[in-house]
Every structure is written in C-alpha cells, then in structure tokens.
Amino acid sequence: MSITQNTPRRWGRWLALPALALASTLSHAAVPPTSEVNTTGLAVTDTTVKVGILHSITGTMAISETGSVQAEKLAIEQINAAGGVLGRQIEYIQEDGASDWPTFAEKSRKLLINDKVAAVFGCWTSASRKAVLPIFEQYNGMLYYPTFYEGLEQSPNVIYTGQEATQQIIAGIDWVVREKGAESFYLLGSDYIWPRTSNKIARAHIESLGLEVVGEDYYPLGHTQFNSVINRIRLKKPDVIYAIVVGGSNVAFYRQLQAAGFDLTQESPLLLTISVTEDEILGIGGQNIEGAYAAMKYFQSLDNPNNEAFVEAFKERWGDDIVIGDVTQAAYLGPWLWKAAVEKAGSFDIDKIREASPGIELTTAPEGYVRIHENHHLWSKTRVGRAMDNGQYEVVFETDELMEPDPFPEM
C-alpha cells in the first residue's frame, strides 16, 4: 500500500550535515518539469515520486530485515524534510517479502509493473535477490540491495550497498589468521545460496593459505536444533568456528552453544561470523554471544561524527532501545545514493541514473566516506568487532584505506 510520510519529530543537528545542506539548496532551485525528468512513464508527478520498499516484515527473516525498513524510511523522511528529490517529495509503497523467495518475485513485479516505482530499496538474503533480479533486468528497474553477500554478481539494475566477498569473507579470514594464528576452521551456515557460496569462497581461501577445514554443515532457515553440530565441533576442536547462520536460527544456535559450555570469551575455539549484527544480538542476548568476532564494515559503536548523528536520529525515530547493525546502515545509504544519482542525472529515468551512478560519493555515510564503483558496489572499509555482553561490538580492527570492491574473487 502507498504510505504518506509522517512529519519527523525533530532532526536536531542532523540537518546541518553537508549532504542535507546540499539537498536543501537543490530543493529550492527551480523544479524541472516532469516531462523532462520522467520520460519512461514512472510514478513521478510535479510534486511526488514513488519508490518501493521490499523486505521481510514477517517470517524467519523479519529479525534481520526490520532494521533495513526502518533505515530506509528514516532516510526518505530526512530527504523529504530537506526538500525531496528534484523538488519532489518521496512516497513509498511497502511490500512484505514474507521470508519467501517467490513472494519477493511477485511483489517486485507488482512494484515495477503496476506501481511503476522509480527505485526499489530491498531484499536481504541472496535467495530473495536472485528471485527478483530477472524481473528488475526484464523491466529495467533499479534495486538498491543492502546486504553483505557472496559476490559473483554484477547487474546494471542493482546498486550493492553492502560488502562483497573480498571485502568481508577474505579480509576477515586474513585477519583471524594473521592476528590469532588460526590454522583450522569449522564452516557452518544456513542452507541457501549465500552461506553455501560464501563458505565455498572461504574454503578456497583457507586452503590456499595451506590451512585446514575440519568440518562443514548447513541447516534450513528457521532451524532450531543445533546440539548435534555443536557436539561435532567439540570433537573436531577447530581453532575457528566460521558461522554464517541467519535469521531467527541465530537465537537457537548461540544460546545452545553457550548452554553446551562454550565460552566464546576464551577464544578456544574462536568464533568468527559474517552474519550476526546488532539486530540479531538483540534476539540472541549479549551474554550468549559475548566474545565472538564479526567481520563487517559498520558497527553501531563506530566513533565518528556522521555515525553519532545517525544513531541519534535513528533512536529518535524508532526508540531509545533500538539497535543498528551493518545491513541497517547499508540500507540507509540506498535512498541517499539514489537521490544523488537522480540529481546528478537530472532525471528519474533508470538508464540515466545507471549512467550517473559510478563515482558518486557520500561523505556523510555513518560508516564514513563511500563511493560507487563502476561495478555498482561500494568502496568501503573492512572492520572486525568483538561482541560485548551489552549487545554492541567493540571495533578491534579496521583497514587503513577503503577496499576496492571485487565481486569476482579467485576461487
């Protein structure tokens, strides 16, 4: 359904940030006529532009995707408060993918064909992205996809605002080998494309370093009985549990791991995840995952002015008890990057946005400076955080420079 935006309660000093100051300046310029900025029949009027939000707000993935919805709505509200895009207020149509890949495909078709939205911010799992990708390419829509993922993809119809494999999987493994002396790994994941492909990349890299994978297991989404694999991990005695469990299954896995006597603060074995953000820890409980490491590009605890303002605004909008994870922050970037592309192109037309996107910079990203690469992924830093019992991560490592995205690593 189409939703009219609520007036934000207050944005405090957030409106003083350069990106919003620029947006405000642009919004007060002459508004270009619709006939010039919309030549392909998108849902654009003289005063409004419609976009889509497509995530799971029900089902096992809701624990992970709710934050993305909140972030995208916050960005849209802030952009509207600063004057909109090419003088037009953004209206969003929200659809529920319901943790079901055919439903994602059906809803994406509705948004593009029936609603004629100018952009879609959505998906979380690689399975959902793969389900909608042919539809976006067939009907020439633009998807802003926020999740860290396995790479091995580059589409002219997707801007990937999360990390790909070289920036997360390979960089994280290099860190744990270099800093912790890890030599053996047990790979664990949920049973769908992202964990399986990510672990294929991880295994290839581990073995290329002359190290050993001592076990590998997968379980269906929503699985809640992990005692058997926990026993196998105990027997194999790996240096690292490399965990890519997603959604609600995380709650069961980490609680059962703790109940089985694994004290992750002792790092024997050490646990390294690429799937547990602060959003998931909220359900897991900080005491059940304290001591685990995560390789991401963003943590809520990042100490910089951009992030301080973002966290303040996010909590103002969604409540003081809310937490913010990596994908939530990457989802927040989507509307801002789309706005920048539209204004650079001077048009809402998808082909013109595609042409304008490479090279777009966002200096006010909560994670820090980011830039869109020609391959539609983001230059960004890689970080490692250590989970604390308060549900936050302590950042223990970050790359000195931005990492160039390479969605096709050697395997």
Side-chain angles (χ1 to χ4, degrees), residues 32-279:
T34 301
S35 59
E36 291 183 6
V37 301
N38 178 31
T39 68
T40 59
L42 297 173
V44 180
T45 71
D46 291 344
T47 58
T48 64
V49 54
K50 285 188 170 64
V51 301
I53 292 177
L54 177 58
H55 289 287
S56 298
I57 56 174
T58 59
T60 190
M61 291 309 303
I63 185 177
S64 300
E65 297 192 55
T66 298
S68 297
V69 175
Q70 293 169 331
E72 288 153 2
K73 289 181 180 179
L74 173 63
I76 288 168
E77 291 172 355
Q78 291 178 328
I79 291 169
N80 282 342
V85 181
L86 293 182
R88 290 157 173 86
Q89 293 286 288
I90 305 170
E91 296 180 349
Y92 59 77
I93 300 171
Q94 182 176 338
E95 298 291 348
D96 180 12
S99 306
D100 177 70
W101 323 141
T103 299
F104 269 93
E106 173 193 344
K107 298 297 187 181
S108 68
R109 189 175 285 107
K110 171 189 175 293
L111 287 168
L112 294 180
I113 301 173
N114 297 348
D115 300 318
K116 301 185 183 304
V117 296
V120 176
F121 308 101
C123 299
W124 203 100
T125 66
S126 285
S128 65
R129 188 192 71 256
K130 292 289 189 184
V132 308
L133 184 58
I135 298 163
F136 276 84
E137 292 183 340
Q138 179 180 359
Y139 296 102
N140 199 27
M142 186 61 79
L143 172 68
Y144 287 77
Y145 176 67
T147 313
F148 35 70
Y149 84 117
E150 70 280 0
L152 308 181
E153 182 179 296
Q154 179 180 332
S155 172
N157 295 88
V158 183
I159 300 294
Y160 306 82
T161 64
Q163 291 173 298
E164 44 71 41
T166 59
Q167 296 170 314
Q168 186 183 35
I169 299 167
I170 292 174
I173 289 171
D174 285 345
W175 174 84
V176 79
V177 171
R178 181 180 66 249
E179 299 297 328
K180 300 294 182 177
E183 297 182 352
S184 61
F185 294 75
Y186 199 110
L187 310 182
L188 177 65
S190 295
D191 192 6
Y192 72 98
I193 184 172
W194 175 56
R196 282 191 173 273
T197 308
S198 295
N199 275 337
K200 183 178 180 181
I201 294 168
R203 177 184 280 272
H205 189 61
I206 289 164
E207 293 176 347
S208 76
L209 297 174
L211 308 176
E212 184 180 11
V213 175
V214 298
E216 185 169 354
D217 283 291
Y218 299 92
Y219 293 91
L221 285 169
H223 187 78
T224 59
Q225 298 299 322
F226 290 95
N227 289 321
S228 61
V229 71
I230 289 171
N231 286 334
R232 286 196 293 277
I233 291 170
R234 193 191 304 276
L235 290 172
K236 293 289 186 177
K237 297 181 179 179
D239 294 330
V240 177
I241 303 170
Y242 193 71
I244 318 180
V245 178
V246 307
S249 295
N250 276 306
V251 177
F253 173 64
Y254 286 97
R255 289 184 178 182
Q256 288 166 25
L257 195 66
Q258 197 272 343
F262 283 78
D263 182 355
L264 298 180
T265 65
Q266 298 301 308
E267 301 186 10
S268 181
L270 178 149
L271 190 142
L272 177 62
T273 179
I274 59 171
S275 62
V276 176
T277 73
E278 292 87 339
D279 298 282

Side-chain angles (χ1 to χ4, degrees), residues 284-298:
I284 294 166
Q287 72 279 9
N288 295 312
I289 196 173
E290 181 185 7
Y293 290 92
M296 309 278 178
K297 67 172 181 172
Y298 172 85

Side-chain angles (χ1 to χ4, degrees), residues 325-377:
D326 181 285
V327 184
T328 298
Q329 189 265 169
Y332 177 77
L333 302 182
W336 287 105
L337 292 169
W338 171 71
K339 168 186 165 62
V342 170
E343 292 180 341
K344 179 180 176 183
S347 174
F348 292 100
D349 292 355
I350 301 300
D351 290 342
K352 293 177 181 178
I353 290 172
R354 178 186 301 113
E355 184 179 351
S357 289
I360 282 178
E361 303 171 317
L362 195 60
T363 61
T364 54
E367 69 181 85
Y369 171 85
V370 298
R371 183 170 73 251
I372 300 179
H373 194 280
E374 290 182 359
N375 60 30
H376 280 200
H377 295 71

Side-chain angles (χ1 to χ4, degrees), residues 315-335:
K315 287 179 174 290
E316 262 182 20
R317 180 64 177 87
W318 300 109
D320 289 337
D321 294 333
I322 207 78
V323 296
I324 306 166
D326 181 285
V327 184
T328 298
Q329 189 265 169
Y332 177 77
L333 302 182

